């Protein structure tokens, strides 16, 4: 079929298999071009199909020649019904990995559930024996708690007071004022239950209990801080509480890995256009200004550049892992540079509907958004009839 984007607000209901494959290929080529990494050998990636998790999987496989198992929650493709982007990304990745002689298998299901955990443990046991890196990169709006059965829904709200600031509809470029009422205690608890560290710790406990972590095993989860501009709705809001919890969990997990000589890290990554971040008010305006400034200064990175730098220059240098005063790895260092933030703050004051496409990188934002779904990718013929049904070669 001929597949075109069907956009509804900040999601797109369709995805393009060839565009997604091309994105994956571009990421693989980037890592290969950078050269080999003396990195992990057997890697489990939770949230492996899009965003930072996909880029972590690509870096592990094509940078360090690692065997990878990916876990994700995606919609398979069917006759007349394109799959979700992560489905096509994984199909493309596993095809390339297997062609390169690399082990690559995956499980599609709810990573929060006991069932998917057990299935993953069994697969590691059967095929890899142990893993030496576990990447935790889930981003989800809800979690069914495996022990209580309670459904937790995360929210993106400020805490304590109503937050009002500028935001942009990135499709139309219209800049307007948005007001978000504060969260209540339940909102906070639910968001922490979904995006905090409890599930990460459950995964590591389960792997450890079955002796599936290699000596010296490392685990990493991803966090965000960002500037004072977005603080009320992000770092000091409900999602920030979840990130505080995630960051605190790294210390608990590290304690539990001491006997193995292992360690848990949180890496603070750069703000990027992903399915998760385009849903957060205010963030798209911030990102379009940030992209403009960082591209002008030659500092811009996408998910693959970020994860390549995380592996090559932080986690696997052969020496100590550089961390900040709170023990966190920082690959948001370029985003947070004083000169970058000063320029973004100035542009923020000026930004309106009339000038945004000039002073901000609205076009770059939109392209990245469509790219997430395999659209507007250079070198892909979108007029062409493509087969929407694609197999994921390593699907278990
Ligand atoms: P994403 O939406 O691109 O990826 C989420 C992944 O989780 C996908 O592979 C999806 O299939 C999987 N997933 C979601 N629910 C699942 C479930 N129930 N079971 C199994 N898999 C499930 O998100 P992104 O942006 O890559 O986020 C990953 C992490 O990075 C999150 O912790 C996020 O907060 C963090 N981060 C994101 C930044 C951004 O600007 N996008 C910046 C810094 C950190
Ligand atoms: Na991810």
């Amino acid at each position: 079929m001929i597949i075109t984007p069907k956009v509804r607000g900040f999601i797109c209901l369709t995805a393009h298999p060839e565009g997604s494959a091309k994105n994956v290929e571009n990421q693989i080529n980037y890592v290969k071009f950078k050269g080999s990494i003396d990195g992990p050998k057997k890697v489990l990636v939770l949230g492996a199909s899009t965003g930072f998790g996909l880029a972590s999987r690509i870096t592990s496989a094509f940078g360090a020649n690692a065997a990878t198992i990916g876990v994700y929650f995606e919609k398979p493709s069917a006759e007349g019904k394109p799959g979700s982007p992560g489905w096509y990304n994984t199909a493309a990745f596993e095809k390339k990995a297997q062609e390169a002689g690399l082990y690559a298998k995956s499980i599609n299901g709810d990573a929060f559930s006991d069932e998917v955990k057990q299935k993953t443990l069994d697969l590691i046991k059967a095929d890899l024996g142990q893993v030496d890196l576990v990447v935790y990169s889930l981003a989800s709006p809800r979690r069914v708690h495996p022990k209580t059965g309670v459904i937790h829904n995360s929210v993106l709200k400020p805490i304590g007071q109503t937050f009002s600031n500028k935001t942009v509809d990135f499709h139309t470029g219209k800049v307007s004022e948005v007001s978000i009422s504060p969260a209540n205690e339940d909102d906070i608890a639910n968001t922490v239950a979904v995006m905090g560290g409890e599930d990460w710790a459950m995964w590591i406990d389960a792997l450890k209990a079955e002796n599936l972590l290699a000596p010296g095993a490392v685990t990493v989860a991803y966090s965000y801080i960002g500037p004072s501009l977005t603080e009320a709705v992000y770092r000091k809001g409900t999602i920030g509480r979840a990130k505080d919890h995630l960051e605190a969990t790294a210390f608990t997990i590290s304690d539990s890995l001491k006997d193995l000589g292992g360690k848990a890290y949180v890496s603070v990554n750069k703000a990027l256009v992903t399915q998760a971040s385009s849903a957060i008010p205010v963030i798209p305006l911030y990102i379009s200004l940030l992209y403009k400034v960082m591209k002008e200064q030659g500092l811009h990175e996408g998910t693959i550049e970020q994860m390549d730098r995380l592996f090559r220059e932080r986690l696997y240098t052969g020496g100590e892992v550089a961390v900040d005063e709170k023990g966190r790895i920082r690959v948001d260092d370029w985003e947070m540079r004083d000169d970058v933030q000063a320029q973004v703050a100035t542009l923020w004051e000026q930004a309106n509907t009339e000038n945004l496409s000039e002073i901000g990188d609205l076009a770059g934002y939109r392209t990245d958004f469509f790219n997430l779904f395999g659209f507007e990718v250079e070198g892909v013929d979108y007029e062409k009839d493509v087969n929407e049904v694609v197999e994921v070669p390593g699907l278990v």
Side-chain angles (χ1 to χ4, degrees):
M1 66 191 283
I2 291 168
I3 308 175
T4 54
K6 285 203 171 53
V7 175
R8 301 281 178 277
F10 42 75
I11 70 157
C12 178
L13 301 174
T14 49
H16 200 278
E18 291 192 0
S20 303
K22 184 82 183 162
N23 279 334
V24 167
E25 194 185 315
N26 290 342
Q27 293 195 37
I28 291 172
N29 289 339
Y30 177 82
V31 173
K32 281 167 62 172
F33 174 77
K34 296 283 284 192
S36 69
I37 302 170
D38 190 5
K41 291 294 159 235
K42 295 172 180 180
V43 182
L44 170 63
V45 182
L46 306 164
S49 54
T50 58
F52 287 115
L54 172 65
S56 306
R57 193 178 188 197
I58 291 173
T59 305
S60 300
F62 289 93
N65 268 310
T68 58
I69 292 177
V71 179
Y72 49 85
F73 210 2
E74 299 293 345
K75 189 178 79 171
S77 58
E79 203 78 47
K81 292 192 176 109
S84 55
W87 179 265
Y88 291 136
N89 289 339
T90 306
F93 168 82
E94 291 183 1
K95 183 165 177 272
K96 289 281 181 194
Q98 294 185 359
E99 279 168 10
L102 296 167
Y103 174 98
K105 287 195 184 174
S106 59
I107 291 169
N108 186 21
D110 180 8
F112 297 129
S113 70
D114 287 341
E115 188 199 340
V116 164
K117 285 191 178 69
Q118 193 56 54
K119 202 172 166 187
T120 309
L121 303 184
D122 292 344
L123 182 62
I124 296 172
K125 219 174 293 173
D127 288 3
L128 301 180
Q130 290 182 320
V131 292
D132 57 359
L133 172 65
V134 180
V135 174
Y136 190 86
S137 188
L138 299 180
S140 173
R142 79 199 278 274
R143 171 178 175 222
V144 181
H145 196 284
K147 306 302 170 203
T148 64
V150 171
I151 299 171
H152 300 282
N153 288 296
S154 70
V155 298
L156 295 156
K157 290 184 183 173
I159 294 172
Q161 58 205 19
T162 298
F163 170 70
S164 300
N165 210 328
K166 290 179 183 178
T167 193
V168 67
D169 175 335
F170 59 86
H171 296 298
T172 62
K174 188 171 185 292
V175 177
S176 62
E177 194 78 12
V178 65
S179 272
I180 315 165
S181 338
N184 59 33
E185 288 303 318
D186 277 353
D187 289 333
I188 299 171
N190 282 319
T191 306
V192 171
V194 180
M195 291 298 286
E198 188 189 27
D199 182 63
W200 182 24
M202 283 179 168
W203 270 100
I204 301 301
D205 286 348
L207 288 158
K208 192 170 181 243
E210 300 205 24
N211 192 27
L212 301 177
L213 295 176
V218 165
T219 183
V220 63
Y222 300 136
S223 189
Y224 183 66
I225 299 176
S228 51
L229 277 171
T230 60
E231 198 170 70
V233 71
Y234 197 96
R235 193 64 208 211
K236 290 189 174 159
T238 49
I239 182 73
R241 289 294 175 86
K243 292 303 186 193
D244 290 344
H245 187 270
L246 184 82
E247 291 174 15
T249 304
F251 293 98
T252 332
I253 297 178
S254 278
D255 283 343
S256 81
L257 295 181
K258 268 202 184 109
D259 56 337
L260 283 175
K263 198 158 165 67
Y265 293 98
V266 160
S267 172
V268 182
N269 301 341
K270 177 195 187 208
L272 281 172
V273 180
T274 64
Q275 291 184 67
S277 68
S278 49
I280 310 178
V282 185
I283 299 283
L285 179 58
Y286 169 69
I287 290 182
S288 38
L289 299 174
L290 180 73
Y291 274 26
K292 181 77 171 189
V293 172
M294 292 188 83
K295 283 179 185 177
E296 267 171 14
Q297 299 203 12
L299 297 173
H300 181 69
E301 295 174 297
T303 47
I304 195 65
E305 288 86 355
Q306 279 268 293
M307 294 300 95
D308 182 274
R309 199 153 67 87
L310 170 64
F311 279 55
R312 208 180 286 279
E313 296 181 18
R314 299 288 190 276
L315 285 172
Y316 297 101
T317 60
E320 283 284 296
V321 176
V323 293
D324 70 7
E325 73 291 349
K326 291 186 171 165
R328 303 173 296 205
I329 296 171
R330 304 295 297 266
V331 286
D332 67 337
D333 47 347
W334 299 349
E335 169 182 356
M336 298 309 285
R337 266 171 49 162
D338 289 342
D339 56 338
V340 171
Q341 286 302 325
Q343 281 189 56
V344 172
T346 305
L347 294 173
W348 185 275
E349 289 307 315
Q350 298 164 2
N352 59 38
T353 308
E354 287 65 46
N355 65 18
L356 185 61
S357 56
E358 212 177 299
I359 70 166
D361 187 24
L362 198 56
Y365 192 103
R366 281 196 199 119
T367 306
D368 275 14
F369 176 80
F370 282 103
N371 281 179
L372 295 176
F373 304 91
F375 296 110
E376 296 187 17
V377 179
E378 235 177 297
V380 176
D381 179 2
Y382 291 99
E383 313 280 291
K384 204 181 83 187
D385 207 325
V386 293
N387 192 350
E388 69 279 15
V389 183
V390 175
E391 300 283 316
V392 172
L395 187 69
V396 175

